[in-house]
Structures are given as C-alpha cells and as structure tokens.
C-alpha cells in the first residue's frame, strides 16, 4: 500500500476538479460558508469508522447476479439484450454528501439512497449484456474531496482497499475464468485505475479484461497509461484489453479549472501529468481523439425521476461530439433538460458523462465482448459448452 500512496496523491490534487468547480458555483459568501460546512466535522483520526465490508455477504453488494434489479434495467421502449458469457465489475461514484464520516459506512442511509438511481443510469448500459458485480464500499465522502489534505488521501486509500477486496472476492468466488469489463465513473473511475495498476496490469487478467470504461476522471496518456504497458488506450470500437475515458463539456465550455488541476496531479507512474496529453475517446465512434456527427449518436437516457421509477426512454438531442486538443469531449448543441440539474461550471456535464451516450455505450459493450471472443476462439468454445 505504500506505493499506492503516491498514486492516490493524483486523486488528492484532483479534488480541485470538483472542489474548484464548486467554488466557482458557490461564489456568494453565504454559499461559501454553507459549502465549507459540508466538510467532515472532525479529523479522520477522530471520526467514527465503519467496519470493513464482508464481500461474502449479499448486503456488501449493490448489485450481483440474482440481486441486480436496479442495474439490469432497460430504458422504456428498448428491447432487452440477452446476457453474454462475460462479467462487469462496476465501481459507483460518490454518493455520500454528509459530514459525519470521511468514509461512509456501506449502509449509511444517505449514501445508499441514491445508489438505485446511479445503477440505473450508469451501470445499466454495461449490465445489459453481462453479469454485473457492483460492490458497496466505504467511499470517500464528498466533503473529503473538499478538504484536500492528508486525511483525504487516507480516505481514498481506505475506499480503494475495499474495492480491491471486493475485486479479489469476485475473482476468487465468481469469475471462473470469464472475460470481464471494468467500469466506473468519477471516484469510481479513479479507484478503477488503481485496480488496473495494482491488480490487472502485468497479470493474466489483462488478457481477460474486455476493456476498462473509466469516464469522469482526468487520465494522462503518458503518466497514467505509461504505467500500464499491458493495457494501453483503446483506439477503435472493437479494441480489447484497453482503457477508455472521456469528460463531457458543452461546445462553448471552459474546462480551464480542470486543466489547472490536471497540471498539478501525479499519474500512476508517480510523475506529474503537466505537459502530457489527456486521454479522450469519443463514446460515439470509440476512436481515440475522435469526432462524430449527430447522425451517429444513438440516444441519451435521462435520469430516472426517483430511485423507484423506471428508466425513461432514450431521447435524441442530436448531439455532435468531438475530442478537443485539450483532451475533453465537447458536444453540441446543449442537450437541455433533463441534463441541466447538476450541470457544473463551464458547461461541465460530468454527472451525465454516461447518461448522454447511454445507447452508444450499451451497443459498444456488446460489440466489444463479441470482439474479445473472436480474438479468443478457445474461450468461445468453452463458453458454448
């Protein structure tokens, strides 16, 4: 875990991604005071600590085969897909906004209340084609990201320790040699990159991994991917064993505050990211640094209005998309409602990175699993038996 400390510093400095955005929004003094009050009430050493999850117990999973009702939903009016012989390990983003914990217990009411909506919106495109395993974990709280100090690093290390334990349990008890997809968003994407570095790269798991879909975090093509020589970046829609990421802005958006944060981050290599290109794949063409006309966009899926509600039907906002020279994904026109409630400064659609391309993700996951089996004919024979 000592080496991991340096990698998680990338997360610590990357907190400016969220913290800087929030300061941009909450510019009024009264609002700034309210924002400051969202930080954990005590130091991490004095804060209550929840026990580590036991991943042998069903309640330690937000979704798994037989208990995946929220993740295995289909947008209204869309034909369900049959499952293929593959798995998805999905790491959910931050859902705890309280101040009592640096790391939320997996059964903390606020943290768990939004998980059904998150799984419906973000996990369902991946789970449409494969069995899904989504662990609950002692996530670093929203307030921990605002603190940006050594307690933040410790909170992220604890969150990662749970994710790694869940992944190891999944491999030991459930995987049975099947190909798998690694997926996560925001905090989940960051923690997923640590799995790539510490558990997948340099092992036979790299060959079994269909792809790692990790949108919502700033990854360096040099200082992050350079530390993953067995994985690398996906270049096309059917590449396998590789990594994918994007961060969505409006065409006139201003990601300068994220660029500033990126330039202060350490990568998985332990070296600074400043001056290195940011990873961006277009989630319509799936090409690295690609662009796509609106005609290729297959549809966005709005958030479910309540955690218990059905997933709405896809809508087509006519989005054209392109990876900019700065490594961010730009869309036009503005998608409008219902994708504005959590719009961040500079036309940052961070919360909706997956929602906006849900149908393209859904189709690509299936195509990429099929491509993995084409390149592994003996595995295809085993799956058919």
């Amino acid at each position: 875990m000592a080496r991991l400390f340096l990698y998680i510093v990338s997360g610590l400095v990357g907190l400016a991604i969220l913290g800087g955005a929030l300061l941009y929004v909450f510019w009024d003094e009264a609002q700034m005071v309210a924002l400051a009050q969202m930080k954990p009430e005590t130091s991490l050493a004095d804060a209550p600590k929840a026990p580590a999850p036991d991943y042998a117990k069903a309640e330690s999973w937000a979704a798994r085969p037989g208990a995946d009702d929220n993740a295995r939903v289909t947008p209204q009016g869309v034909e369900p897909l049959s499952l293929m012989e593959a798995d998805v390990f999905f790491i959910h983003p931050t859902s705890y906004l309280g101040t009592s914990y640096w790391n939320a217990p997996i059964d903390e009411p606020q943290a768990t209340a939004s998980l059904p909506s998150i799984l419906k919106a973000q996990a369902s495109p991946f789970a449409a084609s494969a069995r899904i395993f989504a662990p609950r974990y002692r996530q670093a709280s929203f307030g921990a990201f605002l603190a940006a100090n050594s307690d933040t690093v410790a909170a992220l290390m604890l969150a990662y320790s749970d994710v790694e334990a869940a992944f190891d349990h999944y491999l030991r008890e459930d995987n049975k040699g099947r190909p798998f997809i690694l997926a996560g968003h925001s905090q989940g994407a960051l923690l997923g990159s640590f799995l790539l570095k510490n558990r997948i790269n340099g092992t036979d798991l790299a060959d079994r991994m269909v792809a790692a879909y990790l949108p919502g975090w700033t990854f360096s093509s040099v200082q992050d991917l350079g530390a993953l020589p067995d994985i690398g970046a996906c270049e096309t829609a059917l590449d396998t064993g590789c990594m994918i990421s994007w961060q969505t802005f409006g065409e006139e958006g201003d990601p300068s505050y994220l660029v500033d944060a990126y330039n202060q981050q350490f990568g998985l290599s332990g070296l600074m990211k400043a001056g290195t290109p940011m990873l961006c794949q277009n989630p319509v063409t799936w090409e690295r640094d690609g662009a796509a006309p609106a005609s290729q966009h297959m549809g966005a899926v709005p958030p479910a209005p309540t955690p218990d509600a059905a997933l709405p039907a896809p809508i087509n906002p006519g989005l054209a998309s392109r990876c900019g020279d700065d490594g961010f994904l730009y869309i036009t026109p503005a998608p409008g409602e219902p994708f504005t409630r959590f719009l961040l400064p500079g036309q940052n659609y961070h919360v909706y990175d997956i929602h906006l391309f849900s149908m393209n993700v859904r189709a690509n996951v299936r195509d990429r699993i099929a491509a993995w089996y084409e390149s592994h004919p003996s595995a295809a024979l085993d799956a058919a038996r």
Side-chain angles (χ1 to χ4, degrees):
M1 295 294 285
R3 292 182 61 195
L4 184 59
F5 180 91
L6 187 57
Y7 306 143
I8 292 186
V9 171
S10 68
L12 172 61
V13 179
L15 303 182
I17 291 175
L18 183 56
L22 288 167
L23 294 178
Y24 192 110
V25 174
F26 293 95
W27 58 270
D28 180 80
E29 183 177 351
Q31 292 173 312
M32 288 286 288
V33 171
L35 182 63
Q37 292 175 347
M38 296 182 70
K39 295 179 183 178
E41 297 167 352
T42 63
S43 69
L44 188 142
D46 296 329
K49 295 178 178 60
D54 179 354
Y55 290 106
K57 296 181 177 179
E59 58 265 30
S60 296
W61 296 87
R64 58 177 293 119
D68 55 4
D69 290 347
N70 290 310
R72 283 275 298 154
V73 298
T74 301
Q76 293 180 337
V78 175
E79 198 68 29
L81 298 175
S82 58
L83 293 182
M84 301 177 76
E85 287 292 324
D87 296 336
V88 175
F89 189 84
F90 177 81
I91 310 167
H92 69 76
T94 310
S95 64
Y96 177 65
L97 307 181
T99 60
S100 298
Y101 301 95
W102 285 84
N103 291 89
I106 64 169
D107 59 353
E108 200 284 326
Q110 184 187 99
T112 59
S114 60
L115 279 184
S117 296
I118 289 172
L119 293 174
K120 287 177 181 178
Q122 295 191 352
S124 65
F126 302 98
S129 294
R131 301 191 310 171
I132 188 162
F133 296 81
R136 301 180 188 273
Y137 64 97
R138 292 172 294 177
Q139 61 183 280
S141 69
F142 179 81
F145 286 82
L146 295 175
N149 56 28
S150 60
D151 283 347
T152 303
V153 177
L156 281 167
M157 291 182 73
L158 181 64
Y160 173 70
S161 71
D162 284 356
V163 169
E164 186 178 77
F167 186 66
D168 287 345
H169 183 277
Y170 154 71
L171 291 174
R172 185 173 60 251
E173 303 294 335
D174 299 298
N175 177 261
K176 312 300 183 188
R178 295 158 65 96
F180 67 93
I181 285 170
L182 178 65
H185 182 253
S186 196
Q187 180 175 172
L190 175 64
L191 299 179
S193 74
F194 297 150
L195 279 182
L196 291 179
K197 171 65 177 177
N198 293 309
R199 296 291 292 110
I200 297 175
N201 186 70
T203 76
D204 63 351
L205 295 176
D207 185 57
R208 293 226 306 276
M209 187 180 75
V210 175
Y213 295 77
L214 302 176
W217 200 264
T218 51
F219 293 111
S220 166
S221 296
V222 176
Q223 302 304 356
D224 288 314
L225 285 172
L228 305 171
D230 293 332
I231 295 172
C234 296
E235 303 282 351
T236 74
L238 298 180
D239 287 348
T240 61
C242 48
M243 177 179 165
I244 303 159
S245 187
W246 68 91
Q247 296 182 93
T248 314
F249 278 77
E251 181 60 43
E252 303 301 321
D254 177 13
S256 57
Y257 58 92
L258 297 192
V259 174
D260 290 343
Y262 176 84
N263 287 333
Q264 299 176 65
Q265 291 177 358
F266 291 91
L268 295 175
S269 65
L271 301 176
M272 296 290 289
K273 297 181 184 180
T276 65
M278 192 183 301
L279 179 64
C280 178
Q281 285 99 341
N282 188 304
V284 174
T285 65
W286 301 100
E287 294 176 354
R288 190 172 180 183
D289 301 324
S295 60
Q296 294 183 26
H297 183 253
M298 299 173 68
V301 175
T306 66
D308 295 331
L311 196 60
I315 61 176
N316 190 346
L319 294 182
S321 53
R322 65 177 182 87
C323 285
D325 293 339
D326 55 6
F328 294 96
L329 182 74
Y330 292 93
I331 58 172
T332 187
E337 291 289 350
F339 304 106
T340 58
R341 182 181 178 190
F342 298 110
L343 182 63
L344 292 175
Q347 299 182 29
N348 184 352
Y349 288 92
H350 172 79
V351 173
Y352 305 108
D353 282 325
I354 296 174
H355 300 67
L356 289 168
F357 303 96
S358 182
M359 298 305 291
N360 290 88
V361 173
R362 191 173 187 265
N364 182 253
V365 166
R366 192 166 186 83
D367 291 346
R368 213 177 286 267
I369 293 171
W372 186 93
Y373 272 109
E374 280 192 28
S375 65
H376 296 76
S378 61
L381 289 174
D382 290 341
R385 290 182 183 134

